[in-house]
Amino acid sequence: MKLLKFILLATLVLTVQGIHARPLKTNSIYMFGFSASFKDSIVYVTDIQNVQGAWIDTKNKFLMGREHYSSQLNNYLADSLNMPGRVSMVLFATKKKKAEKLFLKLMKKYKKGYEIRYLNATEFKFDSVDMSPDNQ
């Protein structure tokens, strides 16, 4: 019985140690931004952009530093378009077709009742965020 408990405990410890998520630097991802406000019915949407050198958490497939990417969009809207206080988010995929599918799904949801303003890549472009363990 003691041996069984020891084996279970050892297995649990080894499993927990292996759970740590490791960031994965990808060659590129496809990302677009979305920004809305509770004060008006205008939503801003960026083009789908190819962002080089993004970091993805291998455990849960989350984009690391996504708050930095959404802040880039928020800062652009506040500084360049004088639209402060907006709520921004980014959506991404590793394949362009999947990013396009996400984009179309979001546009379908906001097509009725909202004024959609597009920001093309010449107006706004996401900069890669370095999320290497050295910079955290």
Side-chain angles (χ1 to χ4, degrees):
M1 191 65 159
K2 285 184 180 182
L3 180 62
L4 181 61
K5 286 181 182 178
F6 177 75
I7 291 172
L8 288 174
L9 181 64
T11 305
L12 179 66
V13 169
L14 292 174
T15 304
V16 169
Q17 286 179 348
I19 288 180
H20 295 295
R22 293 173 187 89
L24 169 70
K25 185 176 181 181
T26 63
N27 290 334
S28 67
I29 61 168
Y30 296 92
M31 176 190 315
F32 65 93
F34 171 83
S35 183
S37 175
F38 296 112
K39 297 178 183 178
D40 60 29
S41 62
I42 301 171
V43 295
Y44 286 91
V45 181
T46 68
D47 283 342
I48 297 174
Q49 300 175 14
N50 186 346
V51 178
Q52 301 290 323
W55 291 78
I56 297 177
D57 188 328
T58 56
K59 180 181 174 188
N60 53 21
K61 307 293 187 223
F62 276 168
L63 175 64
M64 295 179 67
R66 55 192 177 281
E67 67 277 1
H68 298 292
Y69 291 110
S70 59
S71 289
Q72 289 176 20
L73 179 57
N74 250 359
N75 293 340
Y76 172 79
L77 292 170
D79 298 342
S80 298
L81 299 181
N82 197 21
M83 298 293 265
R86 301 188 69 80
V87 177
S88 297
M89 66 178 191
V90 293
L91 291 98
F92 81 99
T94 54
K95 306 268 190 233
K96 190 171 185 178
K97 278 211 177 283
K98 188 167 182 180
E100 289 169 346
K101 189 176 179 179
L102 286 170
F103 185 85
L104 292 174
K105 185 177 178 181
L106 188 71
M107 290 300 95
K108 184 178 179 182
K109 190 178 285 189
Y110 285 93
K111 196 173 190 178
K112 294 181 181 175
Y114 293 92
E115 179 183 342
I116 300 173
R117 295 187 184 169
Y118 295 97
L119 300 172
N120 61 35
T122 58
E123 293 174 289
F124 173 77
K125 185 158 179 49
F126 288 107
D127 294 323
S128 180
V129 175
D130 185 7
M131 294 303 295
S132 62
D134 301 335
N135 290 335
Q136 290 184 2

